[in-house]
Amino acid sequence: MNRTTLSLIAGTAALAAVTGFAALNQPAAAGPDTARAAAELPVERTSLVCPAPSSSDLAETAYTAFTPVTKGTQDNGSAELLPAGQESTDTGDESGKGDEDDKGEKGNKDGKGGKKKAAEKPLLTQKAPGTPAVGETTGGDAPALLGTAEGQFAPGWTVQATTEVAAGSGRGLLGVTCTPADTEFWFPGVSTAADRTDYVHLTNPDDSAAVADIELYGKDGALQTTVGEGITVPPNSSEPVLLSTLTDEKQDDVTVHVNIRSGRVGAAVQALDDKLGGDWLAASAEPAGSLVIPGIPKDATAVRLIAHTPGDTDADLKVQLASPTGLITPAGHETLHIKGGMTTAVDLGDVTRGEAGSLILTPADRSVPVVAAVRVLRGKGDDQESAFIPAAAPVGTRASAVDNSAKGTTLSLTAPRGTAKVKVTASAGSGGGKAASQTYTIKKGTTQDVELPVPDGLKGTYALTVEPLTDTPVYAARTLTATREGVPGFTVQTLPDDRGTVAVPEADEDVAVLQK
């Protein structure tokens, strides 16, 4: 027997011994009692995009950023807003591998090759969680912004742009919450009519170009478009697309579908009316059989509901209003029929009748996915102003709304499926003050405009953070109002979950896998 054979026998015996030990000492099979729930940990990086605020020379835009204090974060990080195309002062990236552009190997961020643009001072830099940071721009040349928050600033980072335009098309108060980039968006409520100037803003935060398709759906189905396919959005830049240039058809109520075939973008629609002011229209919640449109102002003089079903199947929706006293059915508008692939609109008038309200849309028969939004008017005659509220996702774990002032802020909460308890925290002011909190009970099927806690010694603007304390789904919307020269400007933002935490599964070492 030679040395090679002896070595092989010895190796086999050793392996058998190891395997036998593993078999005798392997962990018990996983079962219901041994499974561990995933840990909810704070996110470490958040990226947001803000569209260019206005093309009006009279525009005055305030940017506000806020991160709620979150347990489990380290005492480091940064948060800043930079003009699209500018180099961040942060050298890290989402993968944590650093920025390969530092060596000049990938060209600049505007896609033209060569060296990157020199870094500029951020428009806004946040100093500490729990306190809002503010910045401002004026005129019609303000660019789109790209925002990044890391470390202790990342969980729940919220940014809003609020613009005041004194005169002209779209005059009034316009507000938009900056959003993460994504690959699909639905916007019911846009228009290609002669008195409307609607743009869909596509903002690309990445270092490679994105390609988008824009589809329009009217009362009879898909509209014939000319240049809506294959729209290229260069790296780290924003493209406003005038919707009326995509089709020759003039319709008052249209749904826009933005589909990103490569890359990702942030998207929002700026809707400007010659006589009724304007506002931003955020994307509707994902198509679903049941939808909630929260926070219709109690002094709304006209509410128009616009809905679209993306598929070929007709949808019949039961329409209800969640009022302060419970669910009611608007007279004459008990149900809404939507033909497959078409957009349907209905005027609900002053449906809130001086009380807080939210629209609850549920299947009248079978469940068919639908997207929806409302256009709201306040004021009368020549002093009317408009805003849009899309169907919203629930608050989830936590959500924040920023740029609130001591006067002119309304928070609406609704719990369509069951009674809920909700904690609302008013942060310290951007210029000083001390945070304050209050807990509310929202009864099943009702909407409440809650009396807000006010920070002690408030200076500047503050943030509102909403945290449900029960498992019942809660929906929320915040309204800002400001009157200039007798015109009642207002804007409404819904409060979906801030995605401040991520589920991280726990794992254990299991040598039993060596036997498989």
Side-chain angles (χ1 to χ4, degrees):
M1 186 177 296
N2 59 33
R3 181 175 299 178
T4 302
T5 304
L6 289 171
S7 299
L8 179 59
I9 293 172
T12 303
L15 179 60
V18 171
T19 305
F21 176 82
L24 292 171
N25 295 275
Q26 62 179 309
D33 296 332
T34 59
R36 296 186 182 182
E40 291 288 335
L41 300 179
V43 299
E44 296 180 354
R45 183 180 176 95
T46 297
S47 298
L48 302 175
V49 297
C50 309
S54 178
S55 59
S56 171
D57 292 337
L58 303 177
E60 299 178 0
T61 301
Y63 288 92
T64 309
F66 173 76
T67 299
V69 176
T70 304
K71 294 181 179 180
T73 60
Q74 298 180 354
D75 296 332
N76 56 22
S78 62
E80 61 183 16
L81 285 175
L82 285 167
Q86 297 299 325
E87 177 186 1
S88 173
T89 57
D90 176 23
T91 58
D93 63 11
E94 292 190 18
S95 66
K97 298 179 180 179
D99 190 347
E100 296 181 24
D101 279 355
D102 289 342
K103 300 178 181 179
E105 296 175 355
K106 292 186 178 180
N108 68 349
K109 291 190 176 183
D110 62 9
K112 297 180 181 179
K115 296 181 179 180
K116 293 188 295 184
K117 295 181 181 179
E120 290 188 1
K121 182 179 179 181
L123 175 73
L124 178 155
T125 300
Q126 199 162 335
K127 295 182 179 180
T131 302
V134 296
E136 59 182 23
T137 62
T138 59
D141 296 327
L145 300 179
L146 307 180
T148 302
E150 295 185 327
Q152 63 178 334
F153 296 96
W157 193 47
T158 302
V159 181
Q160 170 153 325
T162 306
T163 303
E164 288 192 62
V165 179
S169 180
R171 53 93 179 107
L173 193 65
L174 297 82
V176 60
T177 302
C178 303
T179 61
D182 209 336
T183 57
E184 186 178 33
F185 308 86
W186 290 94
F187 299 97
V190 305
S191 174
T192 58
D195 57 356
R196 282 273 292 273
T197 306
D198 289 11
Y199 292 87
V200 57
H201 287 247
L202 306 176
T203 306
N204 178 8
D206 296 328
D207 291 336
S208 58
V211 180
D213 294 332
I214 299 179
E215 302 165 336
L216 306 180
Y217 297 90
K219 59 183 180 180
D220 299 317
L223 302 184
Q224 185 67 37
T225 58
T226 53
V227 291
E229 295 185 358
I231 298 174
T232 299
V233 186
N236 293 274
S237 67
S238 187
E239 291 289 331
V241 179
L242 181 58
L243 295 179
S244 61
T245 63
L246 302 183
T247 181
D248 293 330
E249 297 190 47
K250 304 298 180 184
Q251 293 195 22
D252 291 326
D253 304 295
V254 176
T255 297
V256 168
H257 179 216
V258 178
N259 184 57
I260 311 304
R261 66 167 76 168
S262 67
R264 55 178 192 147
V265 303
V269 170
Q270 191 176 51
L272 309 176
D273 193 285
D274 291 343
K275 297 180 179 180
L276 301 176
D279 204 356
W280 288 94
L281 171 59
S284 171
E286 293 184 1
S290 298
L291 298 173
V292 177
I293 303 176
I296 300 174
K298 63 183 180 181
D299 59 351
T301 55
V303 176
R304 185 170 180 82
L305 170 63
I306 306 98
H308 171 79
T309 175
D312 297 328
T313 304
D314 291 4
D316 288 289
L317 295 177
K318 184 179 180 180
V319 180
Q320 293 178 297
L321 181 76
S323 73
T325 56
L327 293 173
I328 61 175
T329 301
H333 302 291
E334 294 81 4
T335 60
L336 178 67
H337 180 72
I338 312 166
K339 294 183 178 180
M342 302 181 187
T343 297
T344 299
V346 59
D347 285 319
L348 302 178
D350 57 343
V351 64
T352 56
R353 297 187 180 278
E355 294 185 324
S358 302
L359 283 182
I360 312 298
L361 308 177
T362 55
D365 187 7
R366 57 180 173 174
S367 180
V368 177
V370 175
V371 293
V374 296
R375 183 185 187 184
V376 180
L377 297 182
R378 292 175 68 241
K380 296 181 180 180
D382 295 335
D383 293 335
Q384 292 186 89
E385 229 277 74
S386 59
F388 295 86
I389 311 174
V395 171
T397 302
R398 182 184 64 185
S400 296
V402 298
D403 198 22
N404 304 289
S405 57
K407 296 181 179 179
T409 298
T410 302
L411 177 66
S412 293
L413 303 174
T414 186
R417 300 178 191 172
T419 298
K421 287 188 176 181
V422 183
K423 178 183 177 182
V424 177
T425 301
S427 75
S430 56
K434 185 177 180 181
S437 298
Q438 192 166 335
T439 300
Y440 308 89
T441 298
I442 311 300
K443 294 182 179 181
K444 178 181 178 180
T446 68
T447 297
Q448 304 291 335
D449 286 352
V450 299
E451 184 176 349
L452 295 173
V454 178
D456 295 333
L458 173 64
K459 294 182 180 179
T461 64
Y462 67 96
L464 287 170
T465 298
V466 178
E467 299 174 274
L469 302 179
T470 51
D471 293 333
T472 302
V474 174
Y475 297 79
R478 189 277 316 272
T479 300
L480 296 178
T481 59
T483 300
R484 174 176 288 192
E485 298 179 2
V487 178
F490 76 112
T491 181
V492 183
Q493 284 74 49
T494 60
L495 279 68
D497 189 277
D498 65 16
R499 298 188 291 185
T501 59
V502 62
V504 180
E506 292 191 19
D508 286 327
E509 182 178 329
D510 186 359
V511 296
V513 298
L514 296 174
Q515 302 178 69
K516 297 179 181 180

